[in-house]
Amino acid sequence: MKSVLRTLKTLRQYPSAIAGLAIVGFLVGVSIYTMIAIPYSEAIRLWRGGAGVWDENPRNAAPVWYDLLTRDSLSRTIKVTSQGEGEKTITPLGDGMVRLQVTLPFDFSYDTFPSEITLYSQATYEDTRTKFSLTWVRPSGTETVLVTDRSMRSSDGYYISQDAQLQTGRVAPQIGLFSDWSLSPGDTDRVPEKGRYELILETVIPEGYEFETKLLVYGQIHGFAGTDNVRRDISVAMLWGAPLALMFGLLGAVGANVTTFVLAGIGTWLGGFVDALFQRLTQLNMLLPLLPILIMIGQFYSRSLWLMLGVVIVLSVFSASMLTYRAMFLQAKEAPYIEAAQAYGASNTRIIFKYLLPRIVPVLLPQFVLVIPAFVFLEASLAVLGLGDPLLPTWGKLISDARSADALYMGHYYWMIQPAVALMLTGFGFALIGYALDRIFNPRLRTM
Amino acid sequence: MTQETQNVLLSVEDLRTWYELRKWGFFHAGYVKAVDGVTFDLRHGQAITIVGESGSGKTTLAKTLLGLVPPTGGRMDLAGHRYDSERVKWLRFLFKQSERAAWRNKRERRTWIRAKVGFVQQDPYGALAPFMNVRKILAEPLTIHRVPKHDQEERIRAVMEEVRLTPSEDFINKYAHMLSGGQQQRLVIARSIVLEPELLIADEPVSMLDASVRVEILQLLRRIQESHDLGVIYITHDLSTVRYFSEYVFVMYAAKLVEKAEVSELIHNPRHPYTQALLTAISDPDPDNARVFKDVPKGEPPSLAHPPSGCRFHPRCKRFMADLCDVQMPVSFEPVAGHQVECWLYR
C-alpha cells in the first residue's frame, strides 16, 4: 500500500502522467455523474424507448458545440403547448358544441431555418373526428392559411414540413413559412424572419371535452452530442459509454491479466504437472481464433456485453502473456530470499503470493494499465462487427450505428467522430499513465 | 558414550542427495551425486566447518540438511527427530483423506525442523526480499510459526539488538537496499535466529562481503553461537576464515567428507593429500608469495555425474597408489584419535 502511494507521488514528476491521470479522472468523474444523473433503467428507456420517447428531438441534429463553429446561430428546437404559452379561447355554439381557438406564439431569433415543423394534438373525446384549420402568422404580420377543415383524430400529428401542398417550387414548407412570403418560389437564397410567430388553430369540439395541442419547431442542433437518424439523443450513449467502457476495460484487464499473472505464478512455483498443464493449455488456447468464436457466440447464443466479456476473459487467461510471465517467474523463483523463506517454513501459498508475485508486480502494473484500453477497443471492435450488446448504449454501438446509417457519407460526422474521439481519449489517458509507470518501474528507460 | 549420544543435536548417516539426469525430459540418464555418503554428528553448541571447492557439494549438503532438497537416501536426525526424503504427491493428496492427514503430519514435522534450523546465505542482498522492510523481513518467520503479533515486535527488537542493528528505530522501517553489505548480512543473521533455532547453517556467509566486514560478521556469528549454545555448520571454500570460528573442520571433496579433524590438528597436520593441497593454496599477505610457485593439484574437480572409480581424488593425487586408489573406495581411518581421514595412505 505504501509503495503504491510512493509510486503515485513519483508519478507527479511526469507531466504526461498528470495529463493521463486527468483524462482518466475526467472519465471516472463523467461515469459517476452519469450513473447518478441517468440511472441504468432510465438510460435503457432513453436508448431503446421507441418513437414515443424521441418524438421531441430533431432528426439528425448536430451537437450544440457545432454552433460555435458557424457564424450563424443555428436553430434550436422550440416547443409551444396549449397548456403553456398558448392561449385558448372558447366560444359556445349551442347544440353542445364549442368553437375553440388556440394561439401558439413563439419567438424565433436564429439565423437558420428549423429542420421540421410538427403539430401534435390530443383530445379527450373518442371516435369523433373533428375538423380544424390553421393559420400561420409571421413577425411581419403576413398570414398564411396552412389548412382548412382538415379532419383530425382524437390523438393526431400533423407533419407541417412534410405537407406537399405547402411546398412552393423547391422551397420546403419550413423554409417558406419562416421567410418572406413575397419572395418568388424560384428565389432559394432566403434568410429566416426573426421575431414573434403565431400559429392559430381553430376547431369545433363537443362541449365538456379537453383539447390540447403542441407545436414543435425542430432545430438543427440538439444536446451536446446531437441526435441520430431515429431522433435518439447521442449524448445518452456518449455519457453511458464512459462507465461501460471503463467497466469493460477494467474487468477485462483484471479478469484476464491478473488471473493470468496469478496462474503463471502458481504454475511456475509448483512446477511439474501443474506447470506442464498450464503450458499445454496456453499453447492450445493460442491456436483458438478468438474473433470467430465470439462471432459464433454472438450469432447463435447471445450478444450480451457481459457474456462477451466473460468469453473474452476465459479465452485470454491462457494467453501468450502467460508465457511472458512464466519466463519472469522462472527467473524470480531462483532468488535466494525465496530459498530463505522455504528454509524458515513458508508454505507454497505464502511463497507464491507474498514472495513471488510482489516481485513481478512492478512489471505487471504498467502492462495492466495499458491492457485496459485494449479491452475498451475490443468492445468497440465487437460492436462494429455487429456483436455489440443490443441493449446497452456504448461508444462502439454508436460507431456501429453511424456506420450502418452511412453517417459520414450523409455529413453527420459528429455521430461517428464523437465516440471515436472518446475511445481515443481513453486509450491515450491510460497509455500516458502506463508509459509513465513503465518509466518508473523500469529504470533502464529513465535515462532515455 | 550414552551421555554423548544424548548430547547429539544433528546426526547424519550415509546421507545421499542425487539429482536425477533425464534424457529428452523423461528417460533416466543417471544421477549427479552431489552428496554421496556423508556421515557426521554435531553436538549441541558445537561449531563445525565444512570446507571444499566449488562444485564439491557443500551447498547441496546444506540444502539437504535444511529440508529444501529431498535426500535420496540415508538418515538425518535433528534432536532425535528423523526427517527423510519426502515429496508432496499432488494428485494423491488431492484425493485421499488418509494421505492428506499423513501429509499434514509430515508438514508439521517439517515446519518444526524449519523452526529449529536457521539459514544464513551467501548473498545478503539477494537473501532479503527487496519489497519488504526490516520489520517485515524479521516478522515473516514469526508469523509463519504463529507467534502472536504482540510478541513479535519484542522479539524483533531483541534480535536486532543482538546483531547490533542499533538503534533499532533507525533500521526497522528501512528496505534492504538502504543498508550496507555488512548490515544486510547482520539482518540475514538476525532473521536466521529470530525463531531461536538450535542449529544454524551458514553457507559461505562472508564470501560476498568486503574483507573489512568479514571478520566482524564471523565474530558476530561466533558470539551468537556461544551465547545461545547453538550448533553451527559453517560452509566455506576459504580455509583462512576457519580459525575464527569452529572447533571442527570437515573437508569435502567430490560429494564426500574426506577428512574430519579439530581445527588446529587439521591446519598443522593435514593428512589427506587434498587437504594438504588446500592448505598450501591459502594466500597469506606475504611478499615472498610472489616468487614462490604454489604446488596446487593439477586438473579440475571431477564430474559428479561420472565420478572417478576408487578414491575420487586419485586422478589429481601426487601420492596415488596404482591398483588401490583407482580401484577401491577408501574407508575411514583414524591415524590420531579424533582425526578421521578417508585415504589409503593411513591403512
Side-chain angles (χ1 to χ4, degrees), chain B residues 71-286:
Chain B
T72 317
R75 187 176 62 78
M76 298 183 287
D77 282 336
L78 180 69
H81 293 257
R82 177 162 304 184
Y83 56 120
D84 299 308
S85 54
E86 37 187 276
R87 280 183 184 164
V88 182
K89 292 193 177 59
W90 253 87
L91 293 172
R92 282 169 68 194
F93 160 65
L94 283 173
F95 295 120
K96 274 193 191 168
Q97 189 69 34
S98 54
E99 277 286 324
R100 193 183 303 176
W103 186 77
R104 192 177 292 141
N105 289 342
K106 271 184 192 169
R107 187 168 69 167
E108 262 162 35
R109 204 154 73 222
R110 195 148 64 171
T111 42
W112 177 84
I113 281 157
R114 282 170 178 181
K116 290 285 173 195
V117 187
F119 185 30
V120 180
Q121 284 153 300
Q122 181 174 10
D123 168 14
Y125 182 63
L128 300 167
F131 44 85
M132 290 184 182
N133 61 15
V134 172
R135 175 186 276 113
K136 184 97 176 107
I137 286 169
L138 293 176
E140 275 291 297
L142 297 170
T143 312
I144 289 164
H145 290 277
R146 305 220 168 89
V147 174
K149 264 260 145 58
H150 49 91
D151 295 342
Q152 286 186 4
E153 188 73 16
E154 197 183 325
R155 181 72 194 132
I156 288 169
R157 303 277 175 173
V159 284
M160 285 179 77
E161 293 283 325
E162 204 158 357
V163 298
R164 305 278 156 83
L165 280 176
T166 46
S168 49
E169 279 74 26
D170 289 358
F171 290 100
I172 201 146
N173 287 321
K174 283 191 173 170
Y175 289 82
H177 63 89
M178 301 171 176
L179 306 176
S180 71
Q183 288 168 339
Q184 286 169 358
Q185 193 58 297
R186 277 185 278 165
L187 180 57
V188 172
I189 292 169
R191 182 179 63 188
S192 69
I193 60 167
V194 77
L195 291 170
E196 302 182 35
E198 291 180 29
L199 172 64
L200 201 63
I201 297 179
D203 185 6
E204 310 240 23
V206 294
S207 67
M208 286 187 76
L209 298 176
D210 290 351
S212 55
V213 287
R214 281 185 187 178
V215 176
E216 184 197 323
I217 293 292
L218 287 173
Q219 282 170 345
L220 173 68
L221 274 173
R222 183 71 177 165
R223 200 166 53 233
I224 288 168
Q225 188 242 332
E226 279 168 357
S227 61
H228 293 270
D229 201 25
L230 277 176
V232 174
I233 298 176
Y234 170 52
I235 294 172
T236 183
H237 64 271
D238 184 3
L239 264 175
S240 61
T241 58
V242 170
R243 73 193 93 166
Y244 286 103
F245 211 75
S246 58
E247 298 93 42
Y248 244 74
V249 183
F250 300 161
V251 179
M252 196 161 182
Y253 182 77
K256 285 181 170 297
L257 299 183
V258 292
E259 188 164 7
K260 304 170 190 172
E262 280 181 30
V263 174
S264 57
E265 168 70 14
L266 186 105
I267 285 170
H268 296 118
N269 291 312
R271 303 286 175 154
H272 198 285
Y274 175 63
T275 318
Q276 290 164 357
L278 267 187
L279 281 166
T280 332
I282 292 181
S283 295
D284 285 319
D286 182 351

Side-chain angles (χ1 to χ4, degrees), chain A residues 1 7 28 32 44-45 57 80 87 89 109 114 128 137 193 218 238 253 265 281-282 326 334 339 343 382 414 420 431:
Chain A
M1 203 58 225
T7 310
V28 170
I32 292 169
I44 297 297
R45 193 183 70 83
N57 297 340
V80 202
E87 273 173 43
T89 331
S109 56
T128 326
V137 186
E193 224 174 279
Y218 295 106
M238 286 303 293
L281 277 175
T282 306
R326 187 173 172 272
E334 298 302 327
E339 192 174 60
L382 288 177
Y414 51 87

Side-chain angles (χ1 to χ4, degrees), chain A residues 2-3 6 266 270 273-274 335-348 350 354-360, chain B residues 63 66 68 90-91 107 111 114 117 119 121 123 126-132 136-137 140-141 143-145 175 191 195:
Chain A
K2 265 184 201 160
S3 62
R6 225 184 15 243
I266 293 171
L270 295 179
F273 172 71
V274 184
Y337 72 85
I338 287 178
E339 192 174 60
Q342 277 182 290
Y344 55 67
S347 63
N348 282 338
R350 196 177 187 89
K354 292 225 157 176
Y355 292 80
L356 205 52
L357 298 190
R359 187 65 207 262
I360 309 295
Chain B
K63 286 183 183 176
L66 283 159
L68 297 180
W90 253 87
L91 293 172
R107 187 168 69 167
T111 42
R114 282 170 178 181
V117 187
F119 185 30
Q121 284 153 300
D123 168 14
L128 300 167
F131 44 85
M132 290 184 182
K136 184 97 176 107
I137 286 169
E140 275 291 297
T143 312
I144 289 164
H145 290 277
Y175 289 82
R191 182 179 63 188
L195 291 170

Side-chain angles (χ1 to χ4, degrees), chain A residues 35-53:
Chain A
M35 288 193 288
I36 293 167
I38 315 172
Y40 180 74
S41 53
E42 175 71 3
I44 297 297
R45 193 183 70 83
L46 287 174
W47 191 243
R48 305 299 309 169
V53 181

Side-chain angles (χ1 to χ4, degrees), chain A residues 7 27 53 67 91-92 161-162 180-181 201 204 210 228 231 258 262 265 278 285 300 319 341 344 348 374 388 395:
Chain A
T7 310
L27 288 171
V53 181
D67 204 8
T91 333
S161 49
Q162 285 173 22
D180 192 352
W181 195 241
L201 179 143
V204 177
E210 295 291 320
D228 63 10
R231 303 174 189 274
V258 174
V262 172
F278 285 178
N285 189 50
F300 297 118
S319 63
Y344 55 67
N348 282 338
W395 293 335

